[in-house]
PDB file of all heavy atoms in Angstrom:
ATOM      1  N   VAL X  57      24.161 -14.190  -3.027  1.00 89.00           N
ATOM      2  CA  VAL X  57      22.874 -14.252  -2.328  1.00 89.00           C
ATOM      3  C   VAL X  57      22.050 -15.441  -2.829  1.00 89.00           C
ATOM      4  O   VAL X  57      21.238 -15.994  -2.098  1.00 89.00           O
ATOM      5  CB  VAL X  57      22.098 -12.911  -2.502  1.00 89.00           C
ATOM      6  CG1 VAL X  57      20.671 -13.008  -2.003  1.00 89.00           C
ATOM      7  CG2 VAL X  57      22.833 -11.792  -1.790  1.00 89.00           C
ATOM      8  N   GLY X  58      22.261 -15.849  -4.067  1.00 89.00           N
ATOM      9  CA  GLY X  58      21.510 -16.976  -4.621  1.00 89.00           C
ATOM     10  C   GLY X  58      20.102 -16.605  -5.022  1.00 89.00           C
ATOM     11  O   GLY X  58      19.144 -17.320  -4.743  1.00 89.00           O
ATOM     12  N   VAL X  59      19.961 -15.471  -5.699  1.00 92.00           N
ATOM     13  CA  VAL X  59      18.653 -14.979  -6.132  1.00 92.00           C
ATOM     14  C   VAL X  59      18.072 -15.926  -7.177  1.00 92.00           C
ATOM     15  O   VAL X  59      18.752 -16.267  -8.153  1.00 92.00           O
ATOM     16  CB  VAL X  59      18.796 -13.551  -6.723  1.00 92.00           C
ATOM     17  CG1 VAL X  59      17.507 -13.073  -7.322  1.00 92.00           C
ATOM     18  CG2 VAL X  59      19.291 -12.597  -5.654  1.00 92.00           C
ATOM     19  N   PRO X  60      16.819 -16.383  -6.986  1.00 92.00           N
ATOM     20  CA  PRO X  60      16.220 -17.284  -7.977  1.00 92.00           C
ATOM     21  C   PRO X  60      15.934 -16.541  -9.283  1.00 92.00           C
ATOM     22  O   PRO X  60      15.581 -15.362  -9.276  1.00 92.00           O
ATOM     23  CB  PRO X  60      14.917 -17.734  -7.305  1.00 92.00           C
ATOM     24  CG  PRO X  60      14.601 -16.677  -6.309  1.00 92.00           C
ATOM     25  CD  PRO X  60      15.920 -16.098  -5.871  1.00 92.00           C
ATOM     26  N   LEU X  61      16.102 -17.244 -10.390  1.00 93.00           N
ATOM     27  CA  LEU X  61      15.824 -16.668 -11.704  1.00 93.00           C
ATOM     28  C   LEU X  61      14.322 -16.548 -11.920  1.00 93.00           C
ATOM     29  O   LEU X  61      13.553 -17.440 -11.527  1.00 93.00           O
ATOM     30  CB  LEU X  61      16.415 -17.538 -12.810  1.00 93.00           C
ATOM     31  CG  LEU X  61      17.936 -17.671 -12.851  1.00 93.00           C
ATOM     32  CD1 LEU X  61      18.336 -18.650 -13.950  1.00 93.00           C
ATOM     33  CD2 LEU X  61      18.588 -16.326 -13.074  1.00 93.00           C
ATOM     34  N   LEU X  62      13.909 -15.461 -12.540  1.00 95.00           N
ATOM     35  CA  LEU X  62      12.512 -15.310 -12.933  1.00 95.00           C
ATOM     36  C   LEU X  62      12.267 -16.164 -14.177  1.00 95.00           C
ATOM     37  O   LEU X  62      13.079 -16.153 -15.109  1.00 95.00           O
ATOM     38  CB  LEU X  62      12.198 -13.846 -13.240  1.00 95.00           C
ATOM     39  CG  LEU X  62      12.205 -12.883 -12.063  1.00 95.00           C
ATOM     40  CD1 LEU X  62      12.099 -11.438 -12.548  1.00 95.00           C
ATOM     41  CD2 LEU X  62      11.059 -13.202 -11.113  1.00 95.00           C
ATOM     42  N   ARG X  63      11.150 -16.883 -14.202  1.00 94.00           N
ATOM     43  CA  ARG X  63      10.845 -17.702 -15.382  1.00 94.00           C
ATOM     44  C   ARG X  63      10.537 -16.833 -16.591  1.00 94.00           C
ATOM     45  O   ARG X  63      10.923 -17.150 -17.699  1.00 94.00           O
ATOM     46  CB  ARG X  63       9.656 -18.620 -15.092  1.00 94.00           C
ATOM     47  CG  ARG X  63      10.025 -19.819 -14.274  1.00 94.00           C
ATOM     48  CD  ARG X  63       8.824 -20.658 -14.046  1.00 94.00           C
ATOM     49  NE  ARG X  63       7.945 -19.908 -13.139  1.00 94.00           N
ATOM     50  CZ  ARG X  63       7.189 -20.447 -12.208  1.00 94.00           C
ATOM     51  NH1 ARG X  63       7.138 -21.729 -12.081  1.00 94.00           N
ATOM     52  NH2 ARG X  63       6.471 -19.713 -11.412  1.00 94.00           N
ATOM     53  N   GLU X  92       4.852 -17.527  -9.384  1.00 93.00           N
ATOM     54  CA  GLU X  92       5.378 -16.288  -9.948  1.00 93.00           C
ATOM     55  C   GLU X  92       4.268 -15.318 -10.362  1.00 93.00           C
ATOM     56  O   GLU X  92       4.476 -14.431 -11.183  1.00 93.00           O
ATOM     57  CB  GLU X  92       6.317 -16.570 -11.130  1.00 93.00           C
ATOM     58  CG  GLU X  92       7.420 -15.540 -11.241  1.00 93.00           C
ATOM     59  CD  GLU X  92       8.501 -15.903 -12.235  1.00 93.00           C
ATOM     60  OE1 GLU X  92       9.466 -16.550 -11.804  1.00 93.00           O
ATOM     61  OE2 GLU X  92       8.391 -15.540 -13.412  1.00 93.00           O
ATOM     62  N   THR X 138       8.313 -14.500  -2.952  1.00 97.00           N
ATOM     63  CA  THR X 138       9.563 -13.850  -3.339  1.00 97.00           C
ATOM     64  C   THR X 138       9.317 -12.369  -3.595  1.00 97.00           C
ATOM     65  O   THR X 138       8.340 -12.007  -4.255  1.00 97.00           O
ATOM     66  CB  THR X 138      10.119 -14.493  -4.631  1.00 97.00           C
ATOM     67  OG1 THR X 138      10.275 -15.896  -4.414  1.00 97.00           O
ATOM     68  CG2 THR X 138      11.445 -13.875  -5.038  1.00 97.00           C
ATOM     69  N   ALA X 139      10.188 -11.528  -3.070  1.00 97.00           N
ATOM     70  CA  ALA X 139      10.100 -10.090  -3.335  1.00 97.00           C
ATOM     71  C   ALA X 139      11.100  -9.719  -4.415  1.00 97.00           C
ATOM     72  O   ALA X 139      12.249 -10.163  -4.386  1.00 97.00           O
ATOM     73  CB  ALA X 139      10.386  -9.293  -2.067  1.00 97.00           C
ATOM     74  N   VAL X 140      10.654  -8.933  -5.385  1.00 98.00           N
ATOM     75  CA  VAL X 140      11.535  -8.393  -6.419  1.00 98.00           C
ATOM     76  C   VAL X 140      11.442  -6.881  -6.356  1.00 98.00           C
ATOM     77  O   VAL X 140      10.454  -6.317  -5.872  1.00 98.00           O
ATOM     78  CB  VAL X 140      11.172  -8.904  -7.832  1.00 98.00           C
ATOM     79  CG1 VAL X 140      11.291 -10.405  -7.930  1.00 98.00           C
ATOM     80  CG2 VAL X 140       9.787  -8.457  -8.244  1.00 98.00           C
ATOM     81  N   ARG X 172      11.605 -14.637   0.265  1.00 96.00           N
ATOM     82  CA  ARG X 172      12.837 -14.945  -0.480  1.00 96.00           C
ATOM     83  C   ARG X 172      13.266 -13.684  -1.198  1.00 96.00           C
ATOM     84  O   ARG X 172      12.433 -12.927  -1.696  1.00 96.00           O
ATOM     85  CB  ARG X 172      12.586 -16.033  -1.526  1.00 96.00           C
ATOM     86  CG  ARG X 172      12.455 -17.378  -0.943  1.00 96.00           C
ATOM     87  CD  ARG X 172      12.275 -18.490  -1.939  1.00 96.00           C
ATOM     88  NE  ARG X 172      12.251 -18.117  -3.341  1.00 96.00           N
ATOM     89  CZ  ARG X 172      12.383 -18.979  -4.328  1.00 96.00           C
ATOM     90  NH1 ARG X 172      12.568 -20.244  -4.081  1.00 96.00           N
ATOM     91  NH2 ARG X 172      12.333 -18.590  -5.575  1.00 96.00           N
ATOM     92  N   CYS X 173      14.555 -13.475  -1.272  1.00 97.00           N
ATOM     93  CA  CYS X 173      15.090 -12.312  -1.985  1.00 97.00           C
ATOM     94  C   CYS X 173      15.106 -12.636  -3.468  1.00 97.00           C
ATOM     95  O   CYS X 173      15.714 -13.614  -3.895  1.00 97.00           O
ATOM     96  CB  CYS X 173      16.496 -11.984  -1.489  1.00 97.00           C
ATOM     97  SG  CYS X 173      17.208 -10.542  -2.279  1.00 97.00           S
ATOM     98  N   GLY X 174      14.407 -11.809  -4.239  1.00 97.00           N
ATOM     99  CA  GLY X 174      14.314 -12.021  -5.677  1.00 97.00           C
ATOM    100  C   GLY X 174      15.145 -11.026  -6.457  1.00 97.00           C
ATOM    101  O   GLY X 174      16.020 -10.352  -5.924  1.00 97.00           O
ATOM    102  N   ALA X 175      14.844 -10.912  -7.712  1.00 97.00           N
ATOM    103  CA  ALA X 175      15.620 -10.114  -8.656  1.00 97.00           C
ATOM    104  C   ALA X 175      15.602  -8.624  -8.339  1.00 97.00           C
ATOM    105  O   ALA X 175      14.621  -8.089  -7.834  1.00 97.00           O
ATOM    106  CB  ALA X 175      15.081 -10.336 -10.067  1.00 97.00           C
ATOM    107  N   TYR X 176      16.721  -7.981  -8.674  1.00 97.00           N
ATOM    108  CA  TYR X 176      16.827  -6.523  -8.627  1.00 97.00           C
ATOM    109  C   TYR X 176      16.918  -6.055 -10.080  1.00 97.00           C
ATOM    110  O   TYR X 176      17.850  -6.420 -10.805  1.00 97.00           O
ATOM    111  CB  TYR X 176      18.051  -6.070  -7.833  1.00 97.00           C
ATOM    112  CG  TYR X 176      18.249  -4.574  -7.895  1.00 97.00           C
ATOM    113  CD1 TYR X 176      17.374  -3.712  -7.236  1.00 97.00           C
ATOM    114  CD2 TYR X 176      19.280  -4.017  -8.633  1.00 97.00           C
ATOM    115  CE1 TYR X 176      17.540  -2.335  -7.301  1.00 97.00           C
ATOM    116  CE2 TYR X 176      19.461  -2.645  -8.697  1.00 97.00           C
ATOM    117  CZ  TYR X 176      18.580  -1.809  -8.033  1.00 97.00           C
ATOM    118  OH  TYR X 176      18.735  -0.449  -8.106  1.00 97.00           O
ATOM    119  N   ILE X 186      18.148  -6.996 -15.491  1.00 96.00           N
ATOM    120  CA  ILE X 186      18.238  -7.649 -14.192  1.00 96.00           C
ATOM    121  C   ILE X 186      19.711  -7.681 -13.835  1.00 96.00           C
ATOM    122  O   ILE X 186      20.503  -8.349 -14.514  1.00 96.00           O
ATOM    123  CB  ILE X 186      17.642  -9.067 -14.208  1.00 96.00           C
ATOM    124  CG1 ILE X 186      16.171  -9.026 -14.634  1.00 96.00           C
ATOM    125  CG2 ILE X 186      17.798  -9.714 -12.835  1.00 96.00           C
ATOM    126  CD1 ILE X 186      15.528 -10.385 -14.769  1.00 96.00           C
ATOM    127  N   GLU X 189      22.435 -10.786 -13.797  1.00 88.00           N
ATOM    128  CA  GLU X 189      22.055 -11.747 -14.831  1.00 88.00           C
ATOM    129  C   GLU X 189      22.299 -11.100 -16.185  1.00 88.00           C
ATOM    130  O   GLU X 189      22.451  -9.901 -16.283  1.00 88.00           O
ATOM    131  CB  GLU X 189      20.565 -12.104 -14.730  1.00 88.00           C
ATOM    132  CG  GLU X 189      20.166 -12.791 -13.458  1.00 88.00           C
ATOM    133  CD  GLU X 189      18.681 -13.099 -13.441  1.00 88.00           C
ATOM    134  OE1 GLU X 189      18.082 -13.275 -14.526  1.00 88.00           O
ATOM    135  OE2 GLU X 189      18.122 -13.152 -12.345  1.00 88.00           O
ATOM    136  N   ARG X 191      20.112 -10.866 -18.516  1.00 92.00           N
ATOM    137  CA  ARG X 191      18.796 -10.723 -19.144  1.00 92.00           C
ATOM    138  C   ARG X 191      18.363  -9.269 -19.103  1.00 92.00           C
ATOM    139  O   ARG X 191      18.441  -8.614 -18.063  1.00 92.00           O
ATOM    140  CB  ARG X 191      17.776 -11.625 -18.447  1.00 92.00           C
ATOM    141  CG  ARG X 191      18.191 -13.081 -18.594  1.00 92.00           C
ATOM    142  CD  ARG X 191      17.088 -14.030 -18.272  1.00 92.00           C
ATOM    143  NE  ARG X 191      16.840 -14.076 -16.831  1.00 92.00           N
ATOM    144  CZ  ARG X 191      15.835 -14.751 -16.291  1.00 92.00           C
ATOM    145  NH1 ARG X 191      14.991 -15.406 -17.048  1.00 92.00           N
ATOM    146  NH2 ARG X 191      15.675 -14.772 -14.997  1.00 92.00           N
TER     147      ARG X 191
END
Side-chain angles (χ1 to χ4, degrees):
V57 170
V59 173
L61 296 176
L62 291 171
R63 282 180 291 215
E92 212 170 270
T138 304
V140 299
R172 285 183 0 165
C173 182
Y176 174 70
I186 301 176
E189 297 180 28
R191 298 195 287 174

